[in-house]
Amino acid sequence: MSTNLNEQEHTFGRYKDSGAPIGETDEFATVDLDKKDLDGKPYIPTDSHVHLAHKTGVEVLRRSYSYSDGINETTGQFESGLLFISFQKDPKQFITIQNSLGNEDKMNEYITHIGSGLFACFGGVKEGEYIGQKLFE
């Protein structure tokens, strides 16, 4: 299945060549959900991944990694996907964003969720403290 460039950008809410939010020129520009084009329509589509995630007001550190592993000899399917990792202080932050994405995210047309994991990462340890001590304070 092939998707044209305009539809890809609409799905994500970002320009493919620069990574900038639609209506901006810099990848790291502030996402402005209220910015409108000359016709009064939002630059960033309301069902785009960026819009739905950003409207929550929740911030997380996130990164995705694409992978491909050739053709599966048994199924004939191309083995490829995306690993997504995010860091937040509380799992509720991630859950809030996921609930916003829910059934409306245009990206759902192109992805199949396989699994998730949740891991606690302990903060740094100062002299005289023990690993995980701040979790019990």
Side-chain angles (χ1 to χ4, degrees):
M1 181 169 125
S2 178
T3 305
N4 70 45
L5 178 61
N6 187 51
E7 183 65 17
Q8 290 175 33
E9 292 177 342
H10 178 108
T11 297
F12 286 95
R14 292 186 176 274
Y15 295 119
K16 190 172 182 179
D17 64 348
S18 67
I22 295 177
E24 301 295 338
T25 57
D26 179 52
E27 176 182 7
F28 301 104
T30 301
V31 173
D32 183 356
L33 298 180
D34 297 321
K35 189 173 183 176
K36 308 260 190 285
D37 65 16
L38 296 175
D39 295 327
K41 293 195 285 189
Y43 269 108
I44 300 176
T46 57
D47 59 351
S48 69
H49 193 72
V50 165
H51 180 92
L52 293 168
H54 192 76
K55 78 176 187 177
T56 66
V58 175
E59 292 185 5
V60 297
L61 298 175
R62 79 266 188 262
R63 175 69 186 194
S64 59
Y65 300 92
S66 296
Y67 69 89
S68 63
D69 198 24
I71 303 292
N72 181 311
E73 292 179 17
T74 305
T75 65
Q77 297 288 323
F78 188 60
E79 295 285 343
S80 65
L82 182 83
L83 299 173
F84 174 82
I85 185 170
S86 67
F87 297 91
Q88 54 276 324
K89 291 182 179 180
D90 188 324
K92 290 178 189 173
Q93 292 171 272
F94 182 73
I95 292 166
T96 298
I97 293 171
Q98 286 302 108
N99 285 338
S100 179
L101 297 173
N103 293 324
E104 296 179 60
D105 188 359
K106 287 209 37 92
M107 196 162 66
N108 290 336
E109 295 176 34
Y110 306 99
I111 62 172
T112 301
H113 181 260
I114 301 296
S116 296
L118 176 65
F119 304 92
C121 299
F122 301 115
V125 179
K126 295 179 183 171
E127 190 172 329
E129 294 180 342
Y130 55 89
I131 294 176
Q133 179 173 337
K134 290 188 168 76
L135 294 174
F136 301 105
E137 293 178 355

